[in-house]
Amino acid sequence: QVQLVESGGGLVQPGGSLRLSCAASGSITNRYTMGWYRQAPGKQRELVASITSGGITNYADSVKGRFTISRDNAKNTVFLQMDSLKPEDTAVYYCNAKWAAIDYNTWGQGTQVTVSS
């Protein structure tokens, strides 16, 4: 089993920045995709950004040019650098790790990001 621990959420003013971190531990094998999802009140959970073990990234249109996902494979950690934050970015952000070949996903506990003046 794999456990994900998130950190870095908080309250920030519009235009500000936050950096989220997610560290994975446990029975980790190779070739897995890590991603960040978010869920705002009254909305479905949505993919924000993902990154494969080879470094291929994907972003939601709403965050392109503002957010950057990266990973440190040696430390099994994924980061989400969030710049130029907007009030509509307010949500609970969840880290995810996915092993598609065995149809296995695991989630972090979520961290609250609030963008408000």
Side-chain angles (χ1 to χ4, degrees), residues 3-10 19-23 33-51 67 69 78-80 82 89-98 105-113:
Q3 296 80 45
L4 304 178
V5 179
E6 303 165 345
S7 62
R19 184 162 123 120
L20 307 182
S21 299
C22 174
T33 296
M34 301 191 76
W36 290 94
Y37 292 71
R38 67 186 181 188
Q39 187 166 20
K43 296 184 178 180
Q44 296 284 333
R45 187 174 300 186
E46 64 176 354
L47 176 67
V48 177
S50 65
I51 183 167
F67 291 9
I69 190 170
V78 64
F79 306 94
L80 185 67
M82 303 185 293
D89 296 318
T90 296
V92 178
Y93 284 70
Y94 298 90
C95 179
N96 171 265
K98 178 181 180 180
N105 287 269
T106 191
W107 296 87
Q109 80 286 352
T111 184
Q112 177 70 47
V113 172

Side-chain angles (χ1 to χ4, degrees), residues 1-2 24-34 53 71 73 76 97-102 104:
Q1 300 296 319
V2 177
S25 62
S27 301
I28 301 172
T29 58
N30 60 358
R31 298 196 301 276
Y32 63 100
T33 296
M34 301 191 76
S53 58
R71 67 191 288 170
N73 288 332
N76 293 312
K98 178 181 180 180
W99 288 260
I102 58 173
Y104 175 75

